């Protein structure tokens, strides 16, 4: 094990509690020392997912591109999705620590760049760079946890991990909303601090991870599957592009057909490259022979789509339809986040005690389907907030029962030597679904919202209340109502539903009678998104029924690898003895 000692770098300089013995067995103190570094890195990634959600409407309004917000989310998810399996493979080859530090560094630099964006397209480009770092933060942290903690005992430490998600889930929307709600802070626009706040957290993460993350690793020289990374990008990006632009271009337009062809050819090329690379591939094709891995990969795509469908639409509904400020919408998201946290903790504790886990994604996907259908049928523009928050709680519980269990299932189903690539693959497929879901759902929303708003205006304009307000000089003369007055006076000038696609902030300045059609139009458009999301998670529910439940291992990834190495050495020695 001398090579392991060398490869752990400065392990001797690290605190004694952080150094893992060669056998792979860890004490509680050793695990907690390493977890302290992982949790800061995970907090950085988790915070970014939630802090932007409540601020994106303000950001898009300020940069005059509300309908272009899909680009900022999609660009981030595309690069993080493509980078995820690369981090997994490289860390399996060379060790987790250097790539975890690199991921944090790239993420921080990308965050700084986002603060200088002057348009939604620039912001999308900077978010794409930021995503290159984000692809390694979560997947590597989960892989390291798989290395050091046996699946059966992982729930013992899941509370600490979930505390990170809970804290980021609660703080993210609140901090994002608060910062976005400030005109300037220290001379810088408030929403730009949504990205700038990552910098001090990232610097702390770099110092802590460099100090405590010292786990044994034997360096193995392998080829890096760069062609796999290139071909998967060629396959994924055109398909996501047409998903985002399909409603605008037309699903069978020339540009859409070109994207289909390029995407399919890219996927075929990726499969051929991966087959030729064998064990050197980003995602070795042999893993798909494992039925649990292949089924869970498909399930992760579907759950990722459904997850982002809800997480994207709910803040939009709260801010645009219900008129909540960014800060208040963060508070109103608490039922969803608390539901997700409490359900994850419960599922983890029960898994630890019983060793059974399949029941949780079964219940979780069922609850997600029900919640999506309730959003579609029950949540209107004038629905009381309490009713909406109950549905949000249900949605959060469904997510909490499903997300962590899928990662656990994949880690438990593959050999310990594939822990990094399997964990990264699970994250990859979930993010692939999230990216596709983001592109498709926002495309559906903004392609229909203009017509829905115009239809709501035609209906509202026939009511006595609307006509009375329209002919009341005190109401019609208000500066805040001028966008609607001008729209009605010049119906062909691109007003109505089209005007809200670049900047929705004027809605909150309108009198209630004029604001109602805008809110109703947005709510009606979101109904289509929620129905689509319900269909996706319903398919996930059916699929999870057929996944085989594999008994959970009682040893960690490092221990399993040590046992395998010892068995191989013993076998070699036995052969040598027979030969002599």
């Amino acid at each position: 094990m001398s090579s392991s000692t060398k490869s752990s770098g400065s392990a001797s300089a690290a605190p004694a509690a952080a150094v893992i013995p060669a056998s792979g067995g860890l004490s509680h103190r050793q695990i907690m020392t390493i977890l302290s570094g992982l949790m800061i890195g995970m907090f950085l990634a988790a915070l970014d997912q939630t802090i932007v959600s409540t601020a994106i409407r303000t950001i898009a309004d300020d940069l005059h591109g509300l309908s272009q917000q899909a680009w900022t989310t999609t660009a981030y998810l595309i690069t993080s999705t493509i980078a995820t399996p690369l981090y997994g493979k490289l860390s399996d080859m060379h060790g987790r620590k250097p790539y975890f530090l690199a991921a944090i560094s790239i993420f921080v630099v990308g965050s700084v760049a986002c603060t200088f964006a002057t348009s939604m397209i620039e912001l999308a480009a900077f978010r794409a760079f930021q995503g290159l770092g984000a692809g390694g933060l979560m997947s590597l942290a989960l892989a390291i946890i798989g290395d050091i903690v046996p699946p059966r005992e992982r729930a013992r430490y899941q509370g600490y991990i979930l505390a990170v998600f809970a804290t980021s889930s609660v703080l993210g929307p609140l901090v994002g909303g608060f910062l976005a709600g400030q005109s300037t802070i220290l001379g810088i626009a408030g929403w730009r601090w949504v990205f700038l706040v990552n910098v001090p957290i990232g610097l702390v993460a770099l110092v802590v991870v460099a100090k405590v993350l010292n786990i044994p690793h034997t360096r193995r020289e392998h080829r890096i599957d760069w062609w796999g990374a290139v071909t998967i990008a060629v396959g994924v990006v055109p398909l996501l592009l047409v998903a985002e632009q399909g409603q605008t271009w037309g699903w069978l337009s020339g540009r859409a057909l070109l994207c289909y062809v390029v995407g399919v050819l890219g996927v075929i090329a990726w499969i051929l490259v991966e087959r030729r690379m064998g064990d050197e591939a980003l995602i070795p094709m042999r893993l798909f022979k494992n039925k649990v891995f292949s089924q869970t990969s498909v399930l992760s795509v579907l759950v990722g789509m459904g997850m982002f469908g809800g997480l994207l639409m709910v803040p939009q509904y709260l801010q645009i339809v219900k008129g909540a400020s960014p800060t208040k919408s963060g508070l109103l998201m608490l039922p969803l986040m608390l539901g997700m946290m409490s359900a994850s903790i419960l599922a983890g504790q029960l898994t630890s005690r019983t060793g059974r886990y399949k029941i949780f994604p079964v219940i979780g996907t069922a609850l997600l389907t029900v919640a999506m259908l309730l959003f579609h049928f029950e949540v209107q523009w004038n629905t009381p907030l309490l009713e909406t928050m109950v549905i949000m709680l249900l949605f959060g519980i469904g997510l909490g029962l499903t997300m962590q269990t899928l990662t656990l299932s994949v880690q438990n189903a593959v050999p310990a030597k594939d822990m990094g690539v399997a964990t990264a693959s699970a994250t990859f497929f979930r993010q692939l679904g999230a990216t596709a879901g983001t592109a498709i759902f926002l495309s559906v929303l903004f392609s229909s919202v203009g017509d829905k708003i115009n239809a709501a205006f035609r209906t509202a304009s026939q009511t006595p209340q609307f006509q009375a307000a329209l002919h009341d000089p005190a109401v019609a003369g208000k500066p805040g109502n001028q966008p609607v007055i001008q729209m009605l006076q010049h119906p062909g000038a691109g007003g109505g539903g089209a005007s809200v696609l670049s900047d929705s902030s004027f809605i909150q300045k309108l009198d209630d009678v004029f604001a109602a059609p805008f809110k109703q139009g947005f709510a009606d458009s979101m109904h289509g998104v929620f129905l689509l999301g319900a269909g996706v998670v319903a398919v996930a529910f059916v699929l999870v029924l057929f996944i085989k439940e594999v008994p959970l291992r009682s040893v960690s990834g490092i221990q399993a690898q040590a046992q395998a190495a010892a068995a191989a050495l013993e076998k070699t020695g036995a052969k040598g003895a027979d030969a002599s």
Side-chain angles (χ1 to χ4, degrees), residues 82 86 90 94 99 222-233 270 273-274 277 280-282:
I82 293 170
L86 195 58
L90 290 170
H94 306 122
Y99 292 102
H222 291 290
R223 290 181 295 167
I224 300 176
D225 186 15
W226 296 115
W227 280 111
V230 171
T231 52
I232 202 172
W270 175 68
V273 168
E274 299 300 88
M277 292 293 293
E280 310 289 351
L282 287 181

Side-chain angles (χ1 to χ4, degrees), residues 31 83 86 114 160 176 225 245 266 315 331 333 418 449 458 497 532 555 562 574:
I31 292 175
L86 195 58
C114 287
Y160 301 106
D225 186 15
Q245 290 291 313
L331 286 169
M333 288 285 286
D418 292 323
V449 70
R458 286 193 294 271
L532 182 60
V555 296

